[in-house]
Amino acid sequence: MIHRSLMLAAALGLTGIIAMAQEKVPINQVEEKVPPYTLPDPLQFSDGSSVSSPNDWVRRRRELLRLFEAHVYGTIPTGLTRRSPSPVSIRSDSLNGLAIRKILQVPLTDEPSPVLMELMVYLPKNATSAVPIFLGLNFSGNHTVTPETDVPLSRGWLPKSATGATNHIATEASRGTDSAAWPIEQILARGYGFATAHYADIEPDFDGGWRKGVRGRALSGHTRSGFAPEDWGAISAWSWGLSRAFDALAEDPLIDSKRVALLGHSRLGKTALWAGARDPRFALVIVNESGEGGAALARREFGETILRITTSFPHWFCGRFKNYSRAAETLPTDQHELIALIAPRPVYIASAQEDLWADPKGEYLAGWHATPVYQLLGLQGLPSASMPTLNSSVGDAVGYHIRSGKHALTAIDWGHYLNFADRHLNH
Ligand code: GTR
């Protein structure tokens, strides 16, 4: 038996084995087949007592944060470095004179050659006071986000599937390939700055990538051989990097650090949500099609599941999260409580109609079930338990839309985000 499985393993190789394991993970995409489920109540302490005042919420918030650390994303070590960024380049005539563009290096570890995150910042040139800013991690490098050809190619690891990548390294052919997702000129024209960094600068996105990223190297002089069940996963590492990006932005007098809006798409939407939950300095959080482990309810069996996500991406979460692969109902949290951790700050959740994998209804319902927490704090969240019509934006401190089309971050989504930010950042 052992012999046979060894032979099979040799024949399939690692990728084959993962693909086989994934095939066995059942996925439901039929609404009528969603089994009933019961969500934990964000307004009830673990001991069963109720959360009935804004003061109670402060304590409950701490309790929930701790539960998300211990069971889902892992605990970020304390005492990590916070070194100041150094400028790589500053241009005051960027985008045909529309913008000031700064590229900064942010050291993430305390070593002679530290892990470096390259932060690219665009600021509207005509601003007369400190500007609010959108911050979002990108998937394939800063040079893929901008049309400008003098931005250095990212040195970060890239997945094989990335446009213009050879051996996981960016090439000239990848310049501007992701610019449709980041309408920088439109953002600047509305009076906002825009800042971005390549997520793989913080940690390359594969199982074992931690060795080259902050999780492996942050604790200087310490050689990591593995992780305890509560240790931080990659999503925690990326979210910690977002907080370091915030530190860097806060040092710039041209930026209003009280109005930093955090935005993320897909796995980086999961990351933005966790970063926004942990770090209250982010004034507003936007999650675009973040799905399982992001805005979508884990207990709702539709689209990607805990079993599937921890099989495909074992490095994203803390080790303990796998224990819930076949027992989501025993998880002490669910994702509506992660959204509630943003309160009273505004949060916007978005889905796409064809993105069934991310469970649009589960994303909407998470916002709806976070609404009682906003109400306790005197705010309005989403207006009803039913999803809105396509392409219309609803809600107040919790905003939502479902766009027609596929899984992507588009100019239509940005239109809603800019309006939401205008409303809530008094811009
Ligand atoms: C998928 C994954 C999703 C989502 C997406 C992405 O493969 O199953 O959870 O995060 O990747 O980040 O593009």
Side-chain angles (χ1 to χ4, degrees):
M1 189 65 185
I2 292 171
H3 179 65
R4 267 191 58 190
S5 53
L6 278 179
M7 281 189 22
L8 185 67
L12 286 171
L14 187 60
T15 327
I17 292 168
I18 291 172
M20 237 180 68
Q22 288 175 355
E23 265 167 40
K24 287 201 195 124
V25 178
I27 298 294
N28 170 44
Q29 295 195 341
V30 179
E31 189 55 40
E32 292 67 38
K33 290 191 181 160
V34 175
Y37 58 91
T38 309
L39 293 175
D41 184 351
L43 293 180
Q44 195 176 83
F45 288 103
S46 297
D47 67 4
S49 59
S50 56
V51 176
S52 45
S53 68
N55 263 346
D56 284 352
W57 174 249
V58 175
R59 273 195 301 130
R60 172 64 172 152
R61 190 180 180 282
R62 245 182 267 132
E63 183 177 78
L64 277 171
L65 256 182
R66 176 74 199 115
L67 291 171
F68 277 106
E69 283 173 353
H71 298 270
V72 185
Y73 302 104
T75 307
I76 298 170
T78 50
L80 300 176
T81 187
R82 281 169 196 231
R83 285 213 257 142
S84 282
S86 47
V88 175
S89 66
I90 300 181
R91 263 185 65 175
S92 54
D93 59 346
S94 182
L95 295 173
N96 300 319
L98 262 184
I100 302 167
R101 189 193 73 207
K102 304 180 179 186
I103 297 180
L104 310 168
Q105 262 180 359
V106 183
L108 297 178
T109 54
D110 239 337
E111 305 166 290
S113 39
V115 175
L116 290 172
M117 172 172 67
E118 211 146 88
L119 184 65
M120 178 169 74
V121 184
Y122 281 98
L123 300 171
K125 185 117 182 240
N126 58 6
T128 51
S129 56
V131 292
I133 191 164
F134 283 92
L135 166 67
L137 292 174
N138 65 70
F139 280 89
S140 306
N142 295 343
H143 67 283
T144 64
V145 164
T146 173
E148 298 191 299
T149 52
D150 62 329
V151 168
L153 287 182
S154 173
R155 291 179 306 263
W157 172 94
L158 289 169
K160 257 204 204 117
S161 57
T163 317
T166 307
N167 295 328
H168 303 288
I169 304 289
T171 68
E172 287 294 328
S174 57
R175 284 198 181 282
T177 47
D178 210 14
S179 55
W182 305 99
I184 302 174
E185 293 191 17
Q186 190 190 342
I187 297 168
L188 295 171
R190 296 278 289 258
Y192 294 88
F194 168 69
T196 190
H198 183 196
Y199 81 132
D201 281 1
I202 306 163
E203 174 173 321
D205 187 3
F206 59 91
D207 194 17
W210 60 270
R211 289 187 179 83
K212 295 205 161 110
V214 293
R215 278 195 298 156
R217 290 174 43 191
L219 306 168
S220 68
H222 190 88
T223 313
R224 300 300 302 265
S225 54
F227 292 99
E230 283 191 25
D231 278 345
W232 49 339
I235 290 177
S236 272
W238 298 323
S239 86
W240 177 81
L242 279 167
S243 291
R244 302 294 69 78
F246 184 102
D247 297 342
L249 298 176
E251 285 186 21
D252 190 328
L254 300 180
I255 296 169
D256 181 353
S257 63
K258 296 231 162 1
R259 291 185 295 164
V260 179
L262 184 57
L263 177 145
H265 169 60
S266 208
R267 71 197 66 184
L268 298 177
K270 309 179 208 301
T271 302
L273 204 48
W274 180 227
R278 284 191 314 97
D279 191 337
R281 298 175 302 168
F282 292 111
L284 182 152
V285 181
I286 298 164
V287 282
N288 196 76
E289 299 156 31
S290 56
E292 188 72 21
L297 292 173
R299 281 167 174 74
R300 227 183 85 86
E301 234 180 271
F302 190 102
E304 193 171 25
T305 58
I306 299 179
L307 176 58
R308 178 61 184 261
I309 205 166
T310 54
T311 310
S312 312
F313 307 103
H315 56 294
W316 283 2
F317 300 90
C318 71
R320 180 170 295 139
F321 191 49
K322 284 194 195 70
N323 297 354
Y324 303 99
S325 290
R326 293 180 198 272
E329 70 286 358
T330 62
L331 194 59
T333 55
D334 210 318
Q335 301 305 101
H336 60 306
E337 297 177 311
L338 183 62
I339 290 161
L341 288 177
I342 312 285
R345 293 164 293 149
V347 59
Y348 198 105
I349 305 161
S351 312
Q353 188 186 22
E354 293 173 41
D355 186 16
L356 297 184
W357 188 245
D359 186 13
K361 188 169 174 187
E363 294 177 320
Y364 179 79
L365 286 175
W368 168 244
H369 292 296
T371 291
V373 174
Y374 279 85
Q375 286 171 336
L376 179 74
L377 303 178
L379 297 163
Q380 286 312 314
L382 289 174
S384 112
S386 325
M387 290 179 79
T389 51
L390 273 183
N391 303 316
S392 64
S393 177
V394 293
D396 190 1
V398 182
Y400 180 86
H401 74 258
I402 173 162
R403 173 177 53 70
S404 41
K406 293 190 192 324
H407 185 70
L409 174 59
T410 71
I412 293 175
D413 299 311
W414 272 102
H416 292 303
Y417 301 152
L418 286 161
N419 292 343
F420 187 72
D422 279 358
R423 238 181 320 130
H424 290 286
L425 300 179
N426 300 324
H427 190 53

